[in-house]
Amino acid sequence: MFLFTVTKPGLRQAGALTLCAVCLAGTVTAAVRFAGAAVPAAAGAETAISTTQDIAGYFTGYGFEVDLATAAVDEVKVPKRWDDSFTAFNQVVGESGLSLADYKGKTVEKWTVLCPTLSDGETDTYCVLLVYKTRPVGAYLLEKPGGAVTGLVSAAKAGADAAAAAAPETAAAPDAADEPAAETAAAPDESLFPTE
């Protein structure tokens, strides 16, 4: 049997130690919350997607405004076996920190919403988000009618570069030869995403 006695100085030390531990835990929790709020694009992969507002928030984190009136959802199946085309498509999806590799053979929701700022009279650009059980598993931009697929980070960088070039000449314009090309791929054949 153990016997533990607490004297007034010992009780004061235990209380002070407990108070310090609570303050430290509160500080760490606040730091984590503020750091997460400062980087919405990185936190987007960890958020739950259950409404169209969540989808708008996801793409806003990458700098894209969407028209929620055009939101549409389909169920598609990620193929179990990938060819080179789908592997290239997954690399474009991977640009946003997501991957379809763990979802082979699974049915996912395919949300599409129009991105008016990237659309013109001839082509429309749609933000596409693939969701599995309220968890984002893939995101990309789809150009219609051409079918070109672009990664979110490349498109956001290209948009920022275009905005900087259109701004008054307060800074020297970057040389186009120095910039890497945006990573794009052809959209995977719709037969790879059979509707169930």
Side-chain angles (χ1 to χ4, degrees):
M1 183 154 119
F2 294 100
L3 182 63
F4 181 70
T5 59
V6 178
T7 61
K8 275 192 170 183
L11 187 59
R12 286 184 190 143
Q13 289 175 347
L17 183 61
T18 303
L19 181 62
C20 288
V22 168
C23 289
L24 180 63
T27 304
V28 169
T29 302
V32 168
R33 287 191 183 255
F34 286 127
V39 188
E46 299 166 4
T47 59
I49 304 293
S50 56
T51 67
T52 54
Q53 292 296 330
D54 296 336
I55 292 168
Y58 184 89
F59 288 114
T60 301
Y62 284 96
F64 300 108
E65 295 298 322
V66 296
D67 181 7
L68 291 180
T70 63
V73 64
D74 292 317
E75 286 192 350
V76 295
K77 189 170 186 176
V78 178
K80 286 184 181 181
R81 293 192 179 118
W82 292 2
D83 60 1
D84 292 339
S85 171
F86 204 87
T87 301
F89 170 72
N90 192 48
Q91 288 176 345
V92 171
V93 168
E95 196 177 286
S96 59
L98 303 172
S99 175
L100 297 172
D102 294 336
Y103 301 94
K104 290 181 178 180
K106 300 205 188 283
T107 300
V108 298
E109 292 178 340
K110 178 183 175 186
W111 287 88
T112 58
V113 288
L114 180 68
C115 183
T117 57
L118 297 178
S119 300
D120 58 20
E122 296 176 18
T123 59
D124 290 328
T125 301
Y126 291 87
C127 294
V128 181
L129 185 62
L130 301 174
V131 179
Y132 181 74
K133 295 183 179 180
T134 72
R135 181 179 189 180
V137 296
Y140 57 95
L141 297 180
L142 175 63
E143 184 180 294
K144 288 185 180 181
V149 175
T150 308
L152 297 181
V153 175
S154 294
K157 183 181 181 318
D161 290 346
E169 293 186 9
T170 57
D175 186 10
D178 294 338
E179 297 179 18
E183 188 171 339
T184 60
D189 186 8
E190 286 297 321
S191 65
L192 295 176
F193 281 126
T195 304
E196 290 191 335

